[in-house]
Amino acid sequence: MASPTRTWESWTSSLRSLGTGSGSVPDVLEPGPTPTQTSAVTATDKARQRRELSGAIRTLATAASEAATDMHQGDYMVEHRVLTSELAGAGGQVLLNELAHLGFAWRDIAKMVGVSVPATQKWRRGEGLTGENARKLARLVAGCEIIQKFNPVITDVAMWFESPIVDEAPVTPIDLWATDNQQLVFEHARVDVSAKVDPYLTMDSFDPNWRETYRSEFETFRTEDGELSIRARKR
Amino acid sequence: MTHCLEAPGTDEAPEYSSLYRARGDEVVAQRPIFTGDVFFGVPVIGEDEPKNVVVLQHPCVIRKGLELTPKLLVAEVRAEQVHRPSHWPRLPRQMPLAELVVDGAQTHYAGFFVDHQLVVSGSLDVNLRVAAMSQRGVNLLMQRWVHHNSRVIVPTQDYQEVTGSQYEEADIIEEWCIDRECDGISLDDAAVEIDSWLTGDKSASSPRARLEDPQQRSAVRREARVHLRELRS
């Protein structure tokens, strides 16, 4: 986030020196001007200064908004870290059972944790789960809890993870998580419900070339035998 | 990307292991035979010696319910040098099978499309299976096989859409059969159980039909797991 170059106090001090008036600068400039000050500044100068300050206020407002968003991100990222630490002690099979209960496929769990499907099958039998991988499982379970807590609209978190971020590409939150882009996952999940998240920007952050990478001149459709088939798109 | 044959990863970071769901000792008998499965030493129609083969056909045509079609189309698999990903588009007559694990050792093979064969499906013993492909692997195989036959290149993301539900079903069957064998149920009986559950009343709301909708797959998985818990209780 870009940090403001001046403090709130310095901006308000500048505004006060200009005095109150009509126009785009709000009347928050107390105390009001003295007759001497008014005569010392021409109307043209005041208008120019007000324009400059209006722009500065907008910049400051944007920065404040970003700071608020960062604070909110800080909230859920901290909560994610804390919950991960708590869950790490739950035991691998408990964590796997929780992910299974949520409806995840083993291949997706394996992908997000960075292991093979047979490795997860061994873990289910109680074999070979390292502390590092137990922590990765805990991080995933914690992530699911955070998403459901901060955005209650997501009632089927496994389905949400499997759903493409945009219609034009098969990239899902599973792919984001598997490539260590948890922050993007949380943003896409709108854990900060006040933030507007453009899915296209999420995709741009993940892969700037995604439009070209996933461009297809084909489409799927259901044939008369009821099966899905592929055909060229109509131009 | 749209107009060339795809490959796993880049030359700097090849992702050959992403072709496979399981290799060597990792392959389990509980997984139903599927597109991209690699078998070593199976009888082939018209050949005196057993061959190493990879199953070629789309998953929707290799079986009906539990039953495999009587004969399956396969490509012969032979040892081959490893080809870095940037070379894959120049090898349209083969499916590279890099880093296959056979007898505990990692070796490079390829399935050669010009040497396609027929096998009697009953001869595909799951104990002779040395690899099962990932969805990525299946999609790459389909792209290369269709291109070999028609000179058309379809992006793998489109194959993903038309193989996804069958792959999902194979995953559910595998999970079910592993768990039921732990309960002392034979593999054959477990396969019948889960096939019956998937088929349901054969309506559009049956689990198998719902797997065709990606948005319902997590729910079907949950229901299968609940059904298993109920059977066990």
Side-chain angles (χ1 to χ4, degrees), chain B residues 61-160:
Chain B
V61 295
I62 66 175
R63 69 170 64 247
K64 190 77 176 173
L66 282 176
E67 298 296 324
L68 289 167
T69 52
K71 293 174 187 170
L72 295 176
L73 188 63
V74 296
E76 189 171 335
V77 170
R78 296 192 297 270
E80 171 72 340
Q81 67 183 94
V82 65
H83 296 284
R84 57 181 189 265
S86 64
H87 279 197
W88 281 41
R90 299 177 215 170
L91 305 163
R93 295 185 172 196
Q94 63 169 263
M95 172 66 196
L97 298 168
E99 296 183 354
L100 212 55
V101 176
V102 179
D103 296 329
Q106 207 173 72
T107 327
H108 308 300
Y109 288 83
F112 291 89
F113 298 141
V114 289
D115 294 322
H116 53 265
Q117 312 272 3
L118 282 174
V119 296
V120 174
S121 58
S123 65
L124 293 177
D125 181 349
V126 289
N127 295 310
L128 299 174
R129 182 165 48 182
V130 299
M133 283 190 180
S134 63
Q135 275 193 294
R136 176 92 176 120
V138 171
N139 296 339
L140 285 167
L141 172 63
M142 294 304 302
Q143 182 186 60
R144 301 178 78 81
W145 171 235
V146 169
H147 173 254
H148 172 76
N149 285 293
S150 64
R151 310 303 295 175
V152 173
I153 299 178
V154 178
T156 54
Q157 71 204 58
D158 295 307
Y159 286 113
Q160 171 75 21

Side-chain angles (χ1 to χ4, degrees), chain A residues 103 107 121 162 215-216, chain B residues 2 158 168 171 174 221-222:
Chain A
R107 64 175 186 280
Q121 289 169 336
E162 295 170 17
R215 186 167 59 85
S216 175
Chain B
T2 309
D158 295 307
E168 190 69 55
D171 274 12
E174 176 182 338
R221 272 181 233 122
R222 279 195 300 272

Side-chain angles (χ1 to χ4, degrees), chain A:
Chain A
M1 184 203 76
S3 58
T5 54
R6 297 179 66 179
T7 64
W8 178 258
E9 288 74 17
S10 71
W11 287 117
T12 51
S13 171
S14 299
L15 287 166
R16 285 195 186 95
S17 71
L18 266 181
T20 54
S22 60
S24 57
V25 178
D27 287 334
V28 293
L29 312 176
E30 298 296 339
T34 65
T36 309
Q37 284 173 321
T38 305
S39 61
V41 182
T42 67
T44 307
D45 285 345
K46 284 188 76 171
R48 179 180 55 76
Q49 286 178 310
R50 284 207 175 98
R51 279 199 302 275
E52 288 175 0
L53 279 167
S54 293
I57 288 169
R58 280 196 295 274
T59 302
L60 192 63
T62 302
S65 171
E66 288 176 353
T69 301
D70 275 4
M71 284 175 65
H72 197 90
Q73 286 175 351
D75 286 349
Y76 63 73
M77 291 306 286
V78 167
E79 188 158 344
H80 183 231
R81 281 198 298 274
V82 171
L83 194 52
T84 297
S85 292
E86 288 174 3
L87 289 170
Q93 285 182 312
V94 171
L95 296 168
L96 285 169
N97 285 342
E98 177 59 21
L99 292 167
H101 175 71
L102 290 171
F104 282 99
W106 296 114
R107 64 175 186 280
D108 292 333
I109 295 169
K111 184 174 182 177
M112 286 191 278
V113 176
V115 298
S116 66
V117 175
T120 63
Q121 289 169 336
K122 284 182 185 172
W123 297 349
R124 290 185 67 208
R125 296 195 299 268
E127 302 169 14
L129 179 60
T130 63
E132 181 186 353
N133 285 329
R135 189 166 180 83
K136 288 179 181 175
L137 283 175
R139 191 176 300 145
L140 179 55
V141 174
C144 293
E145 289 200 21
I146 295 293
I147 288 168
Q148 290 178 300
K149 174 182 174 182
F150 283 85
N151 189 349
V153 171
I154 299 173
T155 53
D156 186 340
V157 71
M159 184 191 78
W160 180 84
F161 262 92
E162 295 170 17
S163 301
I165 293 164
V166 295
D167 290 340
E168 300 90 331
V171 177
T172 67
I174 290 170
D175 299 301
L176 302 185
W177 195 278
T179 50
D180 217 18
N181 285 298
Q182 283 90 358
Q183 180 72 53
L184 283 180
V185 172
F186 290 134
E187 287 173 5
H188 179 59
R190 292 176 181 242
V191 290
D192 176 3
V193 291
S194 65
K196 290 180 181 174
V197 181
D198 182 348
Y200 288 110
L201 293 180
T202 303
M203 288 297 298
D204 290 342
S205 299
F206 176 67
D207 175 6
N209 299 317
W210 68 271
R211 288 177 180 80
E212 176 60 22
T213 302
Y214 299 108
R215 186 167 59 85
S216 175
E217 293 168 3
F218 295 87
E219 64 182 5
T220 56
F221 70 109
R222 205 165 286 282
T223 43
E224 289 181 10
D225 66 355
E227 299 290 344
L228 277 177
S229 300
I230 300 172
R231 66 185 174 195
R233 283 183 199 277
K234 289 177 183 168
R235 292 175 186 268

